[in-house]
Amino acid sequence: QVQLVESGGGSVQAGESLRLSCEAPGNGFLIGDWGWYRQAPGKSRELIAVHKVGGTTQYADSVKDRFSISRVKDKDTLYLEMKDLKPEDTGVYYCHAVVGVLELDYWGQGIRVTVSS
């Protein structure tokens, strides 16, 4: 069992920044692809950024050039740096990990980000 612990959400004004963290204490080595999804009010959950197991990163068009995903192996932590936040970035952000040879899906509990105009 891999526990994903998210932190760093909150309420900000448009144009401000936030950093989300997702920790997998002691289990980072089990994780392949590791990423962030967002569920905006009334919408389905969407992938916004992923750090692939080979080291490459991918972003949704809506966040490209504003968000940056990074993985720190010795801290078993995934970060999402979010800059120039917009009201449409509002939602619940979920950390997602693909774990082990069976490629099981694990999710964090979700963390809320609210951006006011």
Side-chain angles (χ1 to χ4, degrees), residues 58-77:
Q58 294 178 1
Y59 298 90
D61 288 342
S62 61
V63 306
K64 202 175 294 183
D65 299 326
R66 298 187 298 119
F67 290 13
S68 177
I69 192 170
S70 60
R71 178 174 182 169
V72 180
K73 289 184 178 180
D74 61 354
K75 293 185 178 180
D76 291 338
T77 302

Side-chain angles (χ1 to χ4, degrees), residues 4-20:
L4 301 176
V5 181
E6 299 145 335
S7 61
S11 297
V12 297
Q13 297 290 316
E16 294 184 340
S17 301
L18 279 175
R19 186 177 77 164
L20 303 183

Side-chain angles (χ1 to χ4, degrees), residues 58-109:
Q58 294 178 1
Y59 298 90
D61 288 342
S62 61
V63 306
K64 202 175 294 183
D65 299 326
R66 298 187 298 119
F67 290 13
S68 177
I69 192 170
S70 60
R71 178 174 182 169
V72 180
K73 289 184 178 180
D74 61 354
K75 293 185 178 180
D76 291 338
T77 302
L78 184 75
Y79 296 102
L80 185 68
E81 298 275 358
M82 305 186 292
K83 298 180 180 180
D84 189 23
L85 283 160
K86 304 175 185 297
E88 51 264 41
D89 295 317
T90 293
V92 179
Y93 286 68
Y94 294 90
C95 179
H96 170 261
V98 178
V99 175
V101 294
L102 296 179
E103 299 186 331
L104 300 177
D105 291 305
Y106 283 84
W107 294 91
Q109 77 280 6

Side-chain angles (χ1 to χ4, degrees), residues 24-46:
N27 289 312
F29 70 100
L30 294 171
I31 297 175
D33 293 356
W34 202 354
W36 292 93
Y37 283 70
R38 176 174 69 200
Q39 187 161 19
K43 296 187 178 180
S44 57
R45 197 174 297 187
E46 61 170 341

